[in-house]
Amino acid sequence: MFADFRMSIVANRLRDIVSSLFIMAYEKYRREDFERVQILPRHQKDLDVLARLLAKLRVAFHRRIYHEEYEGKRRTIDELEVTQTDIPIRAYLQLLNFARANALIRKVPTFLGMPMVDDHSMRLVAKLAIGSTSHNIQKILLYLLRNQEEVTLTFSEMASDLKISKSTVSRYLSVLYQVGIISDTATPQLNEPYFSVLKKYLGGGNEENS
C-alpha cells in the first residue's frame, strides 16, 4: 500500500513561484485590491474546469494485492484504489487568488479602471494545475494532450515514447481513469472539458520544460 505524493521538479518550482507571488502580492496589496480584480465569464468558466482538474490530480491512492481462486488456479490480483481527491472549491479559490495576484503584479490592462485576469494569467493557471501532481502523471497528461487525435494510442506506445515502464504508465492511467480525467486505459484520451481547456492555454502540450 502506498500513496504517491511525489512532486516533480516542475511542480516544486511552481510552488516556489506561487509562494513568492503571493508574498509579493500580499505585501503590496490589500484584500480589497484582490477582490477588485475582474474576470471575464469565459475565463471564470475555464478556471472552474481547471479547478476540478486540479482537485482530481491531488489524488491519494493505495495498491491492493490479493489472491483468489479462478478456474481451479490461484491468481494474484493487483489493483489500485483511489481513496481521496481534493475539494474543487478549495482548488478553485487557490487558482482564482493566483490569477488575481498575477493580474495585480503585472498591472495588466484594466476594465473600468480595475485590473483584469487575461489569457496570460490563465495560461499560468493551467500550468500550475497540471504542475501540482507527480512528475510521471504530468508527463502522461502532456503526452495525451499532444496525441489526442491518435485514437489507437496504447499505453505500451506511451511507455516507450516517455521512457517510463509499462507498469508505471498502466498504474497512473488507472488512477486518471478512476478520477474521470481520461476516457479509458486501453486507448486513453483526455476527457472533455479538460482537453479543450488545456489545449486552449497550453497548445500542443509542450510545456514540461518551459
Side-chain angles (χ1 to χ4, degrees):
M1 296 175 61
F2 65 94
D4 192 328
F5 292 107
R6 293 172 298 175
M7 302 297 292
S8 68
I9 294 175
V10 174
N12 286 328
R13 187 172 65 210
L14 278 169
R15 289 200 304 181
D16 291 340
I17 292 172
V18 171
S19 297
S20 299
L21 183 65
F22 276 126
I23 290 172
M24 186 186 307
Y26 279 110
E27 285 180 348
K28 187 174 183 179
Y29 299 101
R30 300 167 301 171
R31 183 180 183 86
E32 292 78 9
D33 295 320
F34 277 79
E35 294 174 350
R36 289 179 65 247
V37 176
Q38 301 298 296
I39 179 167
L40 295 172
R42 64 182 177 89
H43 285 150
Q44 193 160 10
K45 182 179 179 180
D46 291 343
L47 191 70
D48 179 66
V49 172
L50 291 170
R52 283 185 278 134
L53 176 65
L54 174 58
K56 291 174 182 289
L57 288 174
R58 288 175 173 168
V59 59
F61 60 90
H62 70 255
R63 185 178 182 184
R64 292 197 309 141
I65 301 177
Y66 59 95
H67 305 281
E68 68 175 19
E69 295 293 328
Y70 180 75
E71 296 183 347
K73 297 181 180 180
R74 190 169 183 264
R75 65 178 184 176
T76 300
I77 307 298
D78 188 344
E79 295 180 338
L80 286 178
E81 180 180 0
V82 171
T83 57
Q84 180 181 334
T85 56
D86 199 4
I87 303 171
I89 186 60
R90 178 163 55 195
Y92 178 84
L93 291 174
Q94 290 171 340
L95 293 181
L96 175 61
N97 284 329
F98 172 78
R100 284 171 166 173
N102 180 262
L104 283 170
I105 291 172
R106 288 174 46 238
K107 302 185 185 301
V108 295
T110 60
F111 175 75
L112 298 179
M114 295 178 285
M116 184 170 60
V117 171
D118 61 0
D119 282 353
H120 178 82
S121 298
M122 290 300 299
R123 182 171 182 270
L124 294 179
V125 167
K127 293 178 72 172
L128 177 61
I130 67 167
S132 300
T133 186
S134 73
H135 182 53
N136 283 334
I137 288 183
Q138 182 190 1
K139 289 177 69 174
I140 289 171
L141 287 173
L142 293 174
Y143 183 86
L144 292 174
L145 183 59
R146 290 192 299 270
N147 296 277
Q148 183 77 358
E149 305 304 322
E150 298 291 333
V151 294
T152 60
L153 179 70
T154 66
F155 79 88
S156 296
E157 293 175 279
M158 190 183 309
S160 176
D161 291 343
L162 294 177
K163 296 179 173 55
I164 302 174
S165 70
K166 290 182 181 180
S167 60
T168 298
V169 170
S170 177
R171 180 168 68 245
Y172 286 125
L173 286 178
S174 177
V175 171
L176 292 173
Y177 173 70
Q178 288 187 53
V179 297
I181 293 175
I182 64 173
S183 57
D184 59 71
T185 58
T187 55
Q189 288 185 306
L190 291 168
N191 284 333
E192 292 290 359
Y194 306 120
F195 170 70
S196 294
V197 173
L198 290 176
K199 183 74 172 179
K200 180 188 300 185
Y201 296 112
L202 301 183
N206 298 305
E207 299 295 322
E208 187 173 1
N209 297 314
S210 62

